[in-house]
Amino acid sequence: APGRAVIVRVFVELGAGAAASVVEELVASGPVGAGAGQAFFATTTEVVLGAAASLAWASIGELGPNVVAVQHRTDRLGEGAELRWALGQLGGRLVRSRLANRLVGDRSALEQVEIVFGTDDQLFDLTTYTRHVGRDTTGDVLAKAALKDRARSFMKGLATIERSAIGTDSFLG
């Protein structure tokens, strides 16, 4: 709501062999008229996956045109763990998102897709870091945007393969 700030922390830990799916929908708390005061939304999400655990996370951000949003996600994948991020950014005046993936366990796998649809004078600043530590890890990170009017998007990514990550297959696009 205009003139308000919301700060959220989410922590998900899956033990060995566990599986889960999360659907996250970020929306305005009500209609926002022209000239409404600024609002702030910040969220931190931490994911820890044990051996052979699997998590699918789908998120859609449809915040109001007066919202400044800061999102920070981190994850740590154990041996044979699989994580799939599907992230969509539609709303908000300014959205700054940072995702730090850490594939520690051997044969862990990550798939991440982030999509932005922007209009008017929206600004999206997305950064992804992927660090391969375990052997035979797989990382597939893709970000795309469709923008019109004066909307802008900055998409940055870095994949780091440690010396210990023999047999790694990593894609960043």
Side-chain angles (χ1 to χ4, degrees):
R4 299 269 175 125
V6 175
I7 300 173
V8 177
R9 181 168 185 225
V10 178
F11 185 79
V12 175
E13 182 173 1
L14 297 182
S21 297
V22 174
V23 176
E24 175 183 61
E25 185 177 12
L26 309 173
V27 297
S29 57
V32 178
Q38 185 172 317
F40 179 72
F41 177 77
T43 181
T44 299
T45 302
E46 298 173 62
V47 173
V48 177
L49 300 182
S54 175
L55 176 64
W57 189 292
S59 176
I60 184 83
E62 296 180 276
L63 298 168
N66 64 323
V67 176
V68 172
V70 177
Q71 302 170 338
H72 184 239
R73 295 179 172 96
T74 63
D75 57 64
R76 185 177 193 278
L77 282 62
E79 184 172 341
E82 296 181 359
L83 176 59
R84 290 179 304 283
W85 292 107
L87 309 172
Q89 304 287 356
L90 303 175
R93 169 75 178 93
L94 165 65
V95 176
R96 184 160 197 186
S97 172
R98 180 178 187 265
L99 205 153
N101 304 301
R102 189 166 169 87
L103 290 84
V104 175
D106 294 348
R107 296 173 307 287
S108 55
L110 166 75
E111 183 179 343
Q112 175 186 327
V113 176
E114 194 154 9
I115 298 172
V116 171
F117 292 100
T119 187
D120 298 324
D121 59 353
Q122 290 178 293
L123 173 60
F124 299 90
D125 184 356
L126 314 176
T127 304
T128 297
Y129 299 101
T130 302
R131 181 173 299 276
H132 296 269
V133 179
R135 297 172 73 100
D136 300 315
T137 58
T138 303
D140 187 358
V141 177
L142 179 64
K144 292 193 174 206
L147 307 169
K148 73 177 203 173
D149 301 325
R150 292 170 290 144
R152 295 173 293 159
S153 179
F154 300 100
M155 297 179 176
K156 303 165 293 288
L158 177 65
T160 303
I161 301 172
E162 301 289 340
R163 289 185 189 272
S164 58
I166 297 167
T168 290
D169 182 6
S170 188
F171 173 80
L172 174 64

CSV table of all heavy atoms in Angstrom, one decimal, residues 29-67:
chain,number,residue,atom,x,y,z
A,29,SER,N,-1.6,-4.8,-2.6
A,29,SER,CA,-2.6,-5.1,-1.5
A,29,SER,C,-4.0,-4.5,-1.9
A,29,SER,O,-4.9,-4.8,-1.2
A,29,SER,CB,-2.1,-4.5,-0.2
A,29,SER,OG,-1.9,-3.1,-0.3
A,30,GLY,N,-4.0,-3.7,-3.0
A,30,GLY,CA,-5.3,-3.1,-3.4
A,30,GLY,C,-5.0,-2.2,-4.6
A,30,GLY,O,-3.9,-2.0,-5.0
A,31,PRO,N,-6.1,-1.6,-5.2
A,31,PRO,CA,-5.9,-0.8,-6.3
A,31,PRO,C,-5.1,0.5,-5.9
A,31,PRO,O,-5.2,1.0,-4.8
A,31,PRO,CB,-7.3,-0.3,-6.7
A,31,PRO,CG,-8.2,-1.0,-5.8
A,31,PRO,CD,-7.5,-1.8,-4.8
A,32,VAL,N,-4.2,0.9,-6.8
A,32,VAL,CA,-3.4,2.1,-6.6
A,32,VAL,C,-3.7,3.1,-7.7
A,32,VAL,O,-3.5,2.8,-8.9
A,32,VAL,CB,-1.9,1.6,-6.7
A,32,VAL,CG1,-1.0,2.9,-6.5
A,32,VAL,CG2,-1.6,0.6,-5.6
A,33,GLY,N,-4.1,4.3,-7.2
A,33,GLY,CA,-4.4,5.3,-8.2
A,33,GLY,C,-3.2,6.1,-8.6
A,33,GLY,O,-2.1,6.0,-8.1
A,34,ALA,N,-3.3,6.9,-9.7
A,34,ALA,CA,-2.3,7.7,-10.2
A,34,ALA,C,-1.8,8.7,-9.1
A,34,ALA,O,-2.6,9.2,-8.3
A,34,ALA,CB,-2.7,8.5,-11.4
A,35,GLY,N,-0.5,8.9,-9.0
A,35,GLY,CA,0.1,9.8,-8.0
A,35,GLY,C,0.1,9.2,-6.6
A,35,GLY,O,0.4,10.0,-5.6
A,36,ALA,N,-0.1,8.0,-6.4
A,36,ALA,CA,-0.1,7.3,-5.1
A,36,ALA,C,1.3,7.4,-4.5
A,36,ALA,O,2.3,7.4,-5.3
A,36,ALA,CB,-0.6,5.9,-5.2
A,37,GLY,N,1.4,7.4,-3.2
A,37,GLY,CA,2.8,7.4,-2.6
A,37,GLY,C,3.5,6.1,-2.9
A,37,GLY,O,3.0,5.1,-3.2
A,38,GLN,N,4.8,6.2,-2.7
A,38,GLN,CA,5.7,5.1,-3.0
A,38,GLN,C,5.5,4.0,-1.9
A,38,GLN,O,5.3,4.3,-0.7
A,38,GLN,CB,7.2,5.6,-3.0
A,38,GLN,CG,8.1,4.5,-3.4
A,38,GLN,CD,9.5,5.1,-3.6
A,38,GLN,OE1,9.7,6.1,-4.2
A,38,GLN,NE2,10.5,4.4,-3.0
A,39,ALA,N,5.7,2.8,-2.3
A,39,ALA,CA,5.7,1.6,-1.4
A,39,ALA,C,7.0,0.9,-1.6
A,39,ALA,O,7.6,0.9,-2.6
A,39,ALA,CB,4.5,0.8,-1.6
A,40,PHE,N,7.4,0.1,-0.5
A,40,PHE,CA,8.6,-0.7,-0.6
A,40,PHE,C,8.3,-2.1,-0.2
A,40,PHE,O,7.6,-2.4,0.8
A,40,PHE,CB,9.6,-0.1,0.4
A,40,PHE,CG,11.0,-0.8,0.4
A,40,PHE,CD1,11.8,-0.7,-0.6
A,40,PHE,CD2,11.3,-1.6,1.5
A,40,PHE,CE1,13.1,-1.4,-0.6
A,40,PHE,CE2,12.5,-2.3,1.5
A,40,PHE,CZ,13.4,-2.2,0.5
A,41,PHE,N,8.9,-3.1,-1.0
A,41,PHE,CA,8.8,-4.5,-0.7
A,41,PHE,C,10.1,-5.1,-0.8
A,41,PHE,O,10.8,-5.0,-1.8
A,41,PHE,CB,7.8,-5.1,-1.7
A,41,PHE,CG,7.7,-6.6,-1.6
A,41,PHE,CD1,6.9,-7.1,-0.6
A,41,PHE,CD2,8.3,-7.5,-2.4
A,41,PHE,CE1,6.7,-8.5,-0.4
A,41,PHE,CE2,8.2,-8.8,-2.3
A,41,PHE,CZ,7.4,-9.4,-1.3
A,42,ALA,N,10.5,-5.8,0.3
A,42,ALA,CA,11.8,-6.5,0.3
A,42,ALA,C,11.6,-8.0,0.7
A,42,ALA,O,10.9,-8.2,1.7
A,42,ALA,CB,12.8,-5.9,1.2
A,43,THR,N,12.2,-8.9,0.0
A,43,THR,CA,12.1,-10.3,0.4
A,43,THR,C,13.4,-11.0,0.3
A,43,THR,O,14.2,-10.7,-0.6
A,43,THR,CB,11.0,-11.0,-0.5
A,43,THR,OG1,10.9,-12.4,-0.1
A,43,THR,CG2,11.4,-11.0,-2.0
A,44,THR,N,13.7,-11.8,1.2
A,44,THR,CA,14.9,-12.7,1.2
A,44,THR,C,14.4,-14.1,1.3
A,44,THR,O,13.6,-14.5,2.2
A,44,THR,CB,15.8,-12.4,2.5
A,44,THR,OG1,16.2,-11.1,2.4
A,44,THR,CG2,17.0,-13.3,2.5
A,45,THR,N,14.9,-14.9,0.4
A,45,THR,CA,14.5,-16.4,0.3
A,45,THR,C,15.8,-17.2,0.4
A,45,THR,O,16.7,-16.9,-0.4
A,45,THR,CB,13.7,-16.7,-1.0
A,45,THR,OG1,12.6,-15.8,-1.1
A,45,THR,CG2,13.3,-18.1,-1.1
A,46,GLU,N,15.8,-18.1,1.3
A,46,GLU,CA,17.0,-19.0,1.4
A,46,GLU,C,16.5,-20.5,1.2
A,46,GLU,O,15.5,-20.9,1.9
A,46,GLU,CB,17.6,-18.9,2.8
A,46,GLU,CG,18.1,-17.5,3.1
A,46,GLU,CD,18.6,-17.4,4.5
A,46,GLU,OE1,19.5,-18.1,4.9
A,46,GLU,OE2,18.0,-16.6,5.2
A,47,VAL,N,17.1,-21.2,0.3
A,47,VAL,CA,16.8,-22.6,0.0
A,47,VAL,C,18.0,-23.5,0.3
A,47,VAL,O,19.1,-23.2,-0.2
A,47,VAL,CB,16.3,-22.7,-1.4
A,47,VAL,CG1,16.1,-24.2,-1.8
A,47,VAL,CG2,15.1,-21.9,-1.7
A,48,VAL,N,17.8,-24.6,1.1
A,48,VAL,CA,18.8,-25.6,1.3
A,48,VAL,C,18.2,-26.9,0.9
A,48,VAL,O,17.2,-27.3,1.5
A,48,VAL,CB,19.3,-25.5,2.8
A,48,VAL,CG1,20.3,-26.6,3.0
A,48,VAL,CG2,19.9,-24.2,3.1
A,49,LEU,N,18.9,-27.6,0.0
A,49,LEU,CA,18.4,-28.9,-0.4
A,49,LEU,C,19.4,-30.0,0.0
A,49,LEU,O,20.6,-29.9,-0.4
A,49,LEU,CB,18.2,-28.9,-2.0
A,49,LEU,CG,17.2,-27.9,-2.5
A,49,LEU,CD1,17.1,-28.1,-4.0
A,49,LEU,CD2,15.9,-28.0,-1.9
A,50,GLY,N,18.9,-31.0,0.7
A,50,GLY,CA,19.7,-32.1,1.1
A,50,GLY,C,19.9,-33.1,-0.1
A,50,GLY,O,19.5,-32.8,-1.2
A,51,ALA,N,20.6,-34.2,0.1
A,51,ALA,CA,20.9,-35.2,-0.9
A,51,ALA,C,19.7,-35.6,-1.6
A,51,ALA,O,18.7,-36.0,-0.9
A,51,ALA,CB,21.7,-36.3,-0.3
A,52,ALA,N,19.7,-35.6,-2.9
A,52,ALA,CA,18.6,-36.1,-3.8
A,52,ALA,C,17.2,-35.4,-3.5
A,52,ALA,O,16.2,-35.9,-3.9
A,52,ALA,CB,18.4,-37.6,-3.6
A,53,ALA,N,17.3,-34.2,-2.9
A,53,ALA,CA,16.0,-33.5,-2.7
A,53,ALA,C,15.7,-32.7,-4.0
A,53,ALA,O,16.6,-32.5,-4.9
A,53,ALA,CB,16.2,-32.5,-1.6
A,54,SER,N,14.4,-32.4,-4.2
A,54,SER,CA,14.0,-31.7,-5.4
A,54,SER,C,13.0,-30.6,-5.0
A,54,SER,O,12.0,-30.8,-4.3
A,54,SER,CB,13.3,-32.7,-6.3
A,54,SER,OG,12.8,-32.1,-7.5
A,55,LEU,N,13.2,-29.4,-5.6
A,55,LEU,CA,12.3,-28.3,-5.3
A,55,LEU,C,12.0,-27.6,-6.6
A,55,LEU,O,12.9,-27.3,-7.4
A,55,LEU,CB,13.0,-27.3,-4.3
A,55,LEU,CG,12.2,-26.0,-4.1
A,55,LEU,CD1,10.8,-26.3,-3.4
A,55,LEU,CD2,13.0,-25.0,-3.2
A,56,ALA,N,10.7,-27.3,-6.9
A,56,ALA,CA,10.3,-26.5,-8.0
A,56,ALA,C,9.7,-25.2,-7.4
A,56,ALA,O,8.7,-25.3,-6.6
A,56,ALA,CB,9.3,-27.2,-8.9
A,57,TRP,N,10.2,-24.0,-7.9
A,57,TRP,CA,9.7,-22.8,-7.3
A,57,TRP,C,9.2,-21.9,-8.5
A,57,TRP,O,10.0,-21.6,-9.4
A,57,TRP,CB,10.8,-22.1,-6.6
A,57,TRP,CG,10.4,-20.9,-5.8
A,57,TRP,CD1,10.0,-19.7,-6.3
A,57,TRP,CD2,10.4,-20.7,-4.4
A,57,TRP,NE1,9.7,-18.8,-5.3
A,57,TRP,CE2,10.0,-19.4,-4.1
A,57,TRP,CE3,10.8,-21.6,-3.3
A,57,TRP,CZ2,9.9,-19.0,-2.8
A,57,TRP,CZ3,10.7,-21.1,-2.0
A,57,TRP,CH2,10.2,-19.8,-1.8
A,58,ALA,N,7.9,-21.5,-8.4
A,58,ALA,CA,7.4,-20.6,-9.5
A,58,ALA,C,6.9,-19.3,-8.8
A,58,ALA,O,6.2,-19.4,-7.8
A,58,ALA,CB,6.2,-21.3,-10.1
A,59,SER,N,7.4,-18.2,-9.3
A,59,SER,CA,7.0,-16.9,-8.7
A,59,SER,C,6.6,-15.9,-9.8
A,59,SER,O,7.2,-15.9,-10.9
A,59,SER,CB,8.3,-16.4,-8.0
A,59,SER,OG,8.0,-15.1,-7.5
A,60,ILE,N,5.6,-15.2,-9.5
A,60,ILE,CA,5.1,-14.1,-10.4
A,60,ILE,C,5.0,-12.8,-9.6
A,60,ILE,O,4.4,-12.8,-8.5
A,60,ILE,CB,3.8,-14.5,-11.1
A,60,ILE,CG1,3.3,-13.4,-12.1
A,60,ILE,CG2,2.7,-14.7,-10.1
A,60,ILE,CD1,4.0,-13.6,-13.4
A,61,GLY,N,5.6,-11.8,-10.1
A,61,GLY,CA,5.6,-10.5,-9.4
A,61,GLY,C,4.7,-9.5,-10.1
A,61,GLY,O,5.1,-9.1,-11.2
A,62,GLU,N,3.6,-9.2,-9.6
A,62,GLU,CA,2.6,-8.3,-10.2
A,62,GLU,C,2.4,-7.1,-9.2
A,62,GLU,O,1.2,-6.8,-8.9
A,62,GLU,CB,1.3,-9.0,-10.5
A,62,GLU,CG,1.5,-10.1,-11.6
A,62,GLU,CD,0.1,-10.7,-11.9
A,62,GLU,OE1,-0.3,-11.6,-11.1
A,62,GLU,OE2,-0.5,-10.3,-12.8
A,63,LEU,N,3.4,-6.5,-8.7
A,63,LEU,CA,3.3,-5.4,-7.8
A,63,LEU,C,2.8,-4.1,-8.4
A,63,LEU,O,2.9,-4.0,-9.7
A,63,LEU,CB,4.7,-5.2,-7.1
A,63,LEU,CG,5.2,-6.4,-6.3
A,63,LEU,CD1,6.6,-6.2,-5.9
A,63,LEU,CD2,4.3,-6.7,-5.1
A,64,GLY,N,2.3,-3.2,-7.7
A,64,GLY,CA,1.7,-2.0,-8.2
A,64,GLY,C,2.8,-1.1,-8.8
A,64,GLY,O,4.0,-1.2,-8.5
A,65,PRO,N,2.3,-0.1,-9.6
A,65,PRO,CA,3.2,0.8,-10.3
A,65,PRO,C,4.0,1.8,-9.3
A,65,PRO,O,4.9,2.5,-9.8
A,65,PRO,CB,2.3,1.6,-11.2
A,65,PRO,CG,1.0,1.5,-10.6
A,65,PRO,CD,0.9,0.2,-9.9
A,66,ASN,N,3.7,1.8,-8.1
A,66,ASN,CA,4.3,2.7,-7.1
A,66,ASN,C,5.3,1.9,-6.2
A,66,ASN,O,5.9,2.5,-5.3
A,66,ASN,CB,3.3,3.3,-6.2
A,66,ASN,CG,2.5,2.3,-5.4
A,66,ASN,OD1,2.2,1.2,-5.8
A,66,ASN,ND2,2.2,2.6,-4.1
A,67,VAL,N,5.5,0.6,-6.5
A,67,VAL,CA,6.3,-0.2,-5.6
A,67,VAL,C,7.8,-0.3,-6.0
A,67,VAL,O,8.1,-0.6,-7.2
A,67,VAL,CB,5.7,-1.6,-5.5
A,67,VAL,CG1,6.6,-2.6,-4.6
A,67,VAL,CG2,4.3,-1.6,-4.9
